[in-house]
Amino acid sequence: IRRGFSSSAVRNVVIKQVTIIGGGQMGAGIAQVAASTGHSVTLVDTSDDILKKSIKTIEGSLKRVVKKKFADKPEAGEEFIQKVLKNVSTSTDVGSAVQGSDLVLEAIVENLKIKQDLFSRLDKLAPAHTIFASNTSSLPISDISSATNRLDRFGGLHFFNPVPMMKLVEDTPGFIVNRLFVPYLYEAIRLYERGHGSKEDIDIAMKLGVGYPMGPFELSDYIGLDTIKFIMDGWREMDPDNTLFAPSELMDKLVAEGKLGKKTGEGFYKYK
Ligand code: NAI
């Protein structure tokens, strides 16, 4: 990627080394895409166990990609997987992981204070030329970046889930997709809470009626109920009177019980 920054000393930075912080579903997906496009990636999380899982996820996803892309050339497919995996290393130490990094992309929990704390630390640890970006799905980039002294090297890079399949990246303020999409998910939950339909019926209705590949309950489980709730809670704090941002008792209860969707084996539905 080549970019010019008129207000910055960093002009035409070539991005080769990428550090991704947070090896969850988004971080792992972003690491896969970055490594597949020839970047050298360091994936950071809080424990080696989590990082092992992230690498397994990447491997599984690459195998699916290769099955399609290299259908009649399995050997070339295996070579591609090994090449991509070689581009990914893991670390639990952000300080060393950001050394030599051209871009640090954060994909940790959707909480302003936690993201600010991380970036404030990173600001002191990372080289001066390093560009920071957040994969936040709802928080204003200006709020997150205010914890740093590199406002001219800070942006939003909002990927979509599943990262290796979705071709959209948003970097404008306002987050068009989520601003429309999250209130839609909540309205589906409220519809169910009011007894207007079962989860299954609402999911089927949206799939057949609007042509969405997944219904709102399936999709909420896929995204992660904690992430959706964090988004809504954050928006409600900023705009408490907006009825689109009203809470849902059921959502609050499921998150409090740790039923976060597919990633924990249960959310609105149960998974094996
Ligand atoms: P996740 O819960 O799957 O993964 C978050 C990861 O960050 C976990 O592995 C956790 O251990 C790690 N983590 C937390 N604090 C950390 C820290 N201080 N240092 C290093 N690692 C840390 O969450 P997910 O779904 O990957 O979301 C991550 C970010 O991406 C959030 O900001 C979310 O809003 C955003 N996002 C999520 C989408 C989705 O569909 N789930 C879509 C687009 C953006």
Side-chain angles (χ1 to χ4, degrees):
I1 308 170
R2 271 186 178 272
R3 288 241 168 95
F5 287 86
S6 56
S7 62
S8 160
V10 204
R11 281 166 196 271
N12 294 325
V13 177
V14 178
I15 292 175
K16 283 194 180 145
Q17 303 245 17
V18 181
T19 305
I20 294 162
I21 312 210
Q25 48 179 346
M26 294 307 290
I30 298 165
Q32 180 187 331
V33 170
S36 301
T37 46
H39 297 85
S40 166
V41 176
T42 307
L43 188 56
V44 180
D45 210 302
T46 49
S47 79
D48 284 324
D49 280 351
I50 299 177
L51 287 165
K52 266 189 206 141
K53 238 178 111 187
S54 317
I55 296 294
K56 267 206 146 163
T57 304
I58 295 174
E59 265 187 270
S61 173
L62 281 171
K63 278 188 187 147
R64 285 192 294 276
V65 171
V66 157
K67 241 188 180 170
K68 278 193 209 153
K69 253 185 144 176
F70 295 87
D72 24 305
K73 287 183 245 153
E75 273 165 29
E78 186 51 36
E79 212 174 285
F80 174 75
I81 293 179
Q82 293 314 322
K83 203 171 136 200
V84 174
L85 288 175
K86 244 177 115 181
N87 284 345
V88 185
S89 58
T90 59
S91 171
T92 51
D93 174 15
V94 272
S96 60
V98 294
Q99 296 314 313
S101 183
D102 303 309
L103 171 70
V104 174
L105 181 57
E106 166 274 314
I108 66 168
V109 58
E110 185 73 350
N111 175 292
L112 179 60
K113 177 82 178 57
I114 297 175
K115 287 190 196 286
Q116 281 176 333
D117 284 350
L118 173 71
F119 276 116
S120 154
R121 276 175 58 215
L122 288 174
D123 199 25
K124 295 176 192 92
L125 297 167
H129 82 279
T130 309
I131 296 169
F132 287 179
S134 172
N135 185 51
T136 178
S137 26
S138 67
L139 301 166
I141 295 298
S142 52
D143 288 357
I144 305 175
S145 63
S146 67
T148 72
N149 287 313
R150 55 180 87 203
L151 302 188
D152 58 341
R153 280 151 290 154
F154 204 118
L157 260 185
H158 180 223
F159 287 82
F160 285 77
N161 190 8
V163 180
M165 307 295 293
M166 303 295 274
K167 297 203 188 313
L168 182 66
V169 174
E170 285 182 313
D171 62 358
T172 53
F175 300 112
I176 297 159
V177 175
N178 277 336
R179 181 58 185 75
L180 293 173
F181 179 62
V182 176
Y184 149 74
L185 294 179
Y186 260 76
E187 193 52 23
I189 301 163
R190 285 191 283 262
L191 208 63
Y192 168 61
E193 283 177 318
R194 289 196 299 266
H196 289 304
S198 68
K199 290 174 281 195
E200 291 80 1
D201 281 347
I202 296 170
D203 275 348
I204 289 171
M206 291 311 287
K207 286 194 276 193
L208 298 184
V210 192
Y212 289 172
M214 282 190 226
F217 293 96
E218 291 168 310
L219 198 47
S220 296
D221 277 355
Y222 186 75
I223 295 168
L225 303 193
D226 51 339
T227 296
I228 299 170
K229 179 174 148 54
F230 283 138
I231 294 174
M232 215 33 151
D233 289 352
W235 283 346
R236 192 177 320 111
E237 236 169 70
M238 284 184 253
D239 189 358
D241 300 327
N242 193 332
T243 51
L244 281 177
F245 303 158
S248 144
E249 254 179 47
L250 176 60
M251 184 66 140
D252 291 349
K253 180 172 170 283
L254 289 171
V255 172
E257 288 170 354
K259 294 177 181 162
L260 308 181
K262 259 189 138 167
K263 63 182 168 188
T264 58
E266 185 173 350
F268 289 112
Y269 297 116
K270 284 193 175 141
Y271 303 86
K272 280 195 191 124

